[in-house]
């Protein structure tokens, strides 16, 4: 059995005010669909977060409909589940009807956990689809199983459902679990929505023991958790600047007749990448060799020791899709120039002059010179004189 594991498409995503649906559509049409055809896969598995929000924009729905239609036209089976960003009810709409076309959906959790069973040259293989689960949802669907236990955490909720699903999994059959959860040990990025406060949203990888492959969604960086067969494919695109150094991919998975798994990660390259550049403003603006003009989505980490006026507008001439300016140099200056009196002293204990010195440093990235100090001292003396006269 050969299938593509992908997840976290987040169709309809906004990125620093830019609508990404056009970029997502270009990537899916020009790279993903040809890849499906070239790799001659039997199925495509999407492990949740089809959309970026519960009520997606119309163009995002139209895009997903287009991609599904083209996959069906290629005679490829499609399996997908609801993620925490999706509306489970909306994702599951028309699921029975779509099964006739080879599209298998699990939106809302139900007591029917029967697997989707396919057949290849080795025999049958079962795919069990677990949509995003939270404890409240599980308590509603399985009240008899939870009434005698304290089901408060995500691990307990997911374990209960997976254990129930195993009861209907044919014994000895090769199997794949598809789930959307935060497995303990996984590495987060800035673009995931937290599932719960602290570590209460964590799910232990061991609950999926026994499945030949576990196709996961939720974490946006491609990674395995514990063993190579428990795998996050990562998101379709980079959705935060701390993902700039991470290559996005889909996983092409092969399962042989003995349940042995092999996997190849194939990178995806959007028309506009998400990148961070670092250096002084003048160098970035003038040095086209080190900083070539680009239409990528850019964050500029400026190492200048003082602010530059209208910096984003000036850089936009060279980088029309610059999204964010990070004053890395000013931050370093502030760390190096902490007042000795500030250590162990509350802000209100500083004199008016010391407070202004600190304010000036934070805004300008340098200390006041002698002339500026003299002007400040005169101003403070004048203010204090007026206060005394009013008193």
């Amino acid at each position: 059995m050969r299938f593509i594991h992908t997840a976290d498409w987040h169709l309809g995503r906004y990125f620093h005010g830019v609508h990404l649906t056009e970029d997502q559509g270009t990537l899916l049409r020009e790279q993903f669909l040809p890849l499906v055809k070239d790799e001659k896969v039997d199925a495509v598995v999407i492990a949740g977060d089809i959309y970026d929000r519960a009520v997606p924009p119309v163009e995002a729905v139209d895009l997903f409909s287009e991609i599904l239609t083209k996959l069906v036209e290629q005679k490829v089976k499609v399996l997908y589940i609801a993620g925490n960003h999706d509306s489970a009810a909306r994702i599951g709409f028309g699921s029975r009807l779509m099964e006739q076309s080879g599209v298998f959906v699990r939106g809302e959790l139900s007591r029917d956990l029967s697997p989707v069973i396919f057949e290849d040259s080795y025999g049958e293989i079962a795919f069990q689809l677990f949509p995003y689960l939270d404890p409240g949802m599980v308590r509603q669907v399985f009240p008899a199983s939870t009434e005698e236990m304290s089901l408060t955490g995500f691990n307990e909720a997911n374990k209960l459902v997976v254990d129930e699903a195993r009861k209907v999994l044919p014994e000895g059959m090769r199997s794949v679990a598809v789930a959307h959860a935060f497995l303990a040990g996984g590495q987060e990025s800035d673009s995931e929505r937290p599932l719960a406060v602290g570590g209460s949203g964590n799910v232990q990888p061991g609950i999926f023991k026994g499945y030949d492959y576990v196709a996961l969604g939720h974490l946006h960086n491609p990674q395995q958790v514990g063993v190579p067969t428990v795998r996050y494919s990562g998101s379709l695109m980079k959705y935060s600047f701390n993902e700039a150094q991470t290559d996005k991919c889909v996983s092409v998975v092969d399962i042989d007749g003995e349940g042995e798994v092999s996997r190849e990660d194939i990178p995806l390259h959007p028309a506009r990448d998400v990148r961070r550049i670092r250096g002084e403003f003048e160098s970035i603006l003038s040095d086209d060799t080190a900083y070539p003009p680009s239409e990528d989505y850019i964050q500029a980490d400026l190492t200048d020791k003082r602010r530059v006026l209208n910096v984003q507008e000036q850089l936009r001439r060279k980088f029309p899709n610059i999204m964010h300016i990070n004053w890395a140099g000013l931050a370093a200056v502030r760390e190096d120039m902490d007042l000795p009196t500030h250590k162990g002293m509350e802000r209100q204990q500083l004199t008016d002059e010391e407070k202004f010195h600190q304010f000036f440093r934070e805004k300008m990235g340098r200390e006041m010179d002698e002339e500026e100090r003299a002007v400040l001292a005169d101003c403070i003396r004048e203010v204090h004189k007026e206060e005394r006269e009013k008193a």
Side-chain angles (χ1 to χ4, degrees), residues 281 284-285 288 292-295 309-322:
F281 167 73
I284 292 175
L285 196 63
D288 287 353
S294 172
E295 294 192 0
L309 294 177
N310 301 319
V311 62
Q312 189 149 348
E313 289 78 2
Q314 295 184 68
L315 288 176
R316 198 177 298 280
R317 299 169 195 161
K318 185 172 183 179
F319 308 106
N321 293 310
I322 191 164

Side-chain angles (χ1 to χ4, degrees), residues 297-334:
Y297 298 120
I298 300 290
Q299 173 179 304
D301 297 328
L302 298 181
T303 57
D304 300 75
K305 302 304 183 184
R306 60 177 63 192
R307 287 188 180 273
V308 180
L309 294 177
N310 301 319
V311 62
Q312 189 149 348
E313 289 78 2
Q314 295 184 68
L315 288 176
R316 198 177 298 280
R317 299 169 195 161
K318 185 172 183 179
F319 308 106
N321 293 310
I322 191 164
M323 298 293 183
H324 183 64
I325 302 296
N326 176 36
W327 294 94
L330 292 183
V333 168
R334 285 196 291 270

Side-chain angles (χ1 to χ4, degrees), residues 45 57 85 91 116 118 146 190 224 230 270 284 323 341:
V45 173
H85 280 248
I91 283 291
V116 177
F118 296 142
T146 60
D190 286 346
Q224 68 184 51
V230 179
I284 292 175
M323 298 293 183
T341 54

Side-chain angles (χ1 to χ4, degrees), residues 13-249:
R13 181 91 172 197
Y14 279 88
F15 182 60
H16 289 264
V18 173
H19 201 302
L20 293 181
T21 308
E22 181 180 345
D23 294 52
Q24 292 167 329
T26 300
L27 184 61
L28 288 168
R29 295 183 190 101
E30 296 183 3
Q31 293 186 45
F32 180 74
L33 288 175
L35 176 65
V36 171
K37 184 176 181 179
D38 292 344
E39 293 295 324
K40 297 181 174 57
V41 300
D42 303 298
V44 168
V45 173
I46 313 172
D49 281 353
I50 307 299
Y51 300 114
D52 191 55
R53 52 188 185 274
V55 184
V58 172
E59 54 267 32
V61 178
D62 288 344
L63 174 58
F64 189 51
S65 176
E66 175 192 340
I67 300 303
L68 278 183
T69 300
K70 289 182 177 179
L71 289 172
V72 171
E73 289 173 351
Q74 291 186 31
K75 309 298 182 185
V76 174
K77 308 293 185 184
V78 183
L79 306 97
Y80 62 92
I81 60 174
N84 59 299
H85 280 248
D86 298 312
S87 164
R90 289 185 175 92
I91 283 291
F93 174 77
S95 57
R96 291 186 180 180
L97 184 63
M98 287 193 288
E99 287 184 8
Q100 300 175 20
S101 299
V103 178
F104 302 87
V105 187
R106 295 293 183 271
E108 295 179 292
L109 175 65
S110 74
R111 294 186 64 85
D112 183 6
L113 298 170
S114 301
V116 177
I117 297 178
F118 296 142
E119 189 169 351
D120 62 11
S121 58
Y122 300 109
E124 293 181 321
I125 182 169
F127 286 77
Q128 285 200 307
L129 308 181
F130 301 102
Y132 167 68
L133 306 171
D134 65 42
M137 180 192 311
V138 175
R139 283 194 295 267
Q140 286 184 347
V141 177
F142 294 94
S145 301
T146 60
E147 60 185 10
E148 295 182 0
M149 61 183 293
S150 176
L151 189 67
T152 57
F154 279 70
N155 186 64
E156 293 85 354
N158 279 264
K159 184 177 186 305
L160 187 151
V161 175
V162 173
D163 287 347
E164 289 291 324
R166 281 200 179 90
K167 296 176 183 178
V168 295
L169 186 65
E171 186 175 355
M173 186 179 292
R174 293 169 298 154
S175 59
V176 175
V178 183
H180 194 91
F182 183 9
L183 264 60
Q187 295 297 313
E188 299 176 86
S189 69
D190 286 346
S191 58
E192 299 108 3
R193 181 185 298 166
L195 301 182
V197 177
S200 62
N202 291 5
V203 174
Q204 295 300 318
I207 72 169
F208 294 104
K209 186 177 181 180
Y211 288 96
D212 295 302
Y213 186 82
V214 182
L216 295 168
H218 180 60
L219 297 183
H220 288 184
N221 289 329
Q223 58 192 287
Q224 68 184 51
V225 184
V227 295
T229 54
V230 179
R231 180 79 181 169
Y232 287 97
S233 66
S235 55
L236 181 71
M237 295 172 57
K238 301 174 184 179
Y239 295 128
S240 68
F241 282 109
N242 82 328
E243 299 172 63
Q245 301 303 316
T246 303
D247 292 328
K248 299 301 179 178
C249 66

